[in-house]
Amino acid sequence: MTNHTPAEHEVGDGATLARAFADAHFHIDIGTERHEVRIGQPCPALEQALAAASFGYVTAWNPDAEPREIPGNMQADDHLAGRLTALGIEHVRMWSADAEGAHREAGWLLQEVDADRVDALGREFQQAGVLHWTRGEPVRLRMLRWRGACVRLPFVDWIE
């Protein structure tokens, strides 16, 4: 795996997708508290509620960033949940929505995972990007679908 810095590449078709991820809102309910996760921001309240040292987010919805019908997305989500259980990865339901709240996808908050494991799961489920962060650090977007170009966005890692 090669981690490219944005300055090494030109703007391309991955830029629009990366910006959409960067603008998305990610939500998780822990007990009676709803927590919002945003790329580029730390999550102290969520981290206080969970004991993990590292976190990730992955979904199985809409592989290759292509819209899919709800039943197909739910089936893929069930498969991902089973895979996480088989791997012994602690996971909690989480979802994302675009800035307007119109487009919504279900996914999973992963605990005690390294970036390579989250990347591998994202690739296995044909995702364009995943999230990863370490306790106390800002959330990072890891773009997995290399389209030959990227754009400079803070807290975005382009993974090949």
Side-chain angles (χ1 to χ4, degrees), residues 5-16:
T5 60
E8 296 173 335
H9 304 285
E10 307 275 326
V11 172
D13 64 351
T16 300

Side-chain angles (χ1 to χ4, degrees), residues 3-36:
N3 188 1
H4 295 277
T5 60
E8 296 173 335
H9 304 285
E10 307 275 326
V11 172
D13 64 351
T16 300
L17 188 55
R19 282 190 182 100
F21 271 110
D23 291 340
H25 299 257
F26 298 82
H27 303 276
I28 182 169
D29 293 329
I30 304 292
T32 60
E33 296 288 320
R34 175 157 295 165
H35 300 273
E36 183 174 43

Side-chain angles (χ1 to χ4, degrees), residues 68-92:
R68 180 190 260 181
E69 297 294 322
I70 297 285
N73 280 326
M74 291 174 63
Q75 183 178 14
D77 182 69
D78 288 344
H79 181 73
L80 173 57
R83 183 84 169 99
L84 296 171
T85 298
L87 291 169
I89 298 173
E90 186 87 24
H91 55 286
V92 180

Side-chain angles (χ1 to χ4, degrees), residues 20-160:
F21 271 110
D23 291 340
H25 299 257
F26 298 82
H27 303 276
I28 182 169
D29 293 329
I30 304 292
T32 60
E33 296 288 320
R34 175 157 295 165
H35 300 273
E36 183 174 43
V37 173
R38 295 294 308 268
I39 293 167
Q41 298 178 11
C43 305
L46 174 61
E47 292 169 5
Q48 186 175 11
L50 301 170
S54 61
F55 303 89
Y57 170 80
V58 66
T59 181
W61 281 46
N62 302 318
D64 293 319
E66 294 294 327
R68 180 190 260 181
E69 297 294 322
I70 297 285
N73 280 326
M74 291 174 63
Q75 183 178 14
D77 182 69
D78 288 344
H79 181 73
L80 173 57
R83 183 84 169 99
L84 296 171
T85 298
L87 291 169
I89 298 173
E90 186 87 24
H91 55 286
V92 180
R93 172 61 71 202
M94 190 169 169
W95 70 95
S96 62
D98 64 14
E100 293 77 35
H103 177 80
R104 184 174 162 152
E105 291 187 12
W108 298 97
L109 174 75
L110 314 180
Q111 298 177 64
E112 299 297 345
V113 292
D114 63 26
D116 289 339
R117 173 64 68 152
V118 180
D119 293 350
L121 287 163
R123 284 191 178 93
E124 181 178 341
F125 288 87
Q126 301 172 304
Q127 295 302 302
V130 296
L131 305 183
H132 185 266
W133 74 97
T134 303
R135 179 178 286 280
E137 298 295 322
V139 175
R140 297 196 68 83
L141 169 61
R142 299 177 60 80
M143 290 298 294
L144 304 175
R145 293 292 180 205
W146 186 250
R147 308 240 163 136
C150 64
V151 63
R152 177 179 295 279
L153 290 170
F155 304 105
V156 176
D157 300 316
W158 295 85
I159 310 301
E160 196 170 296

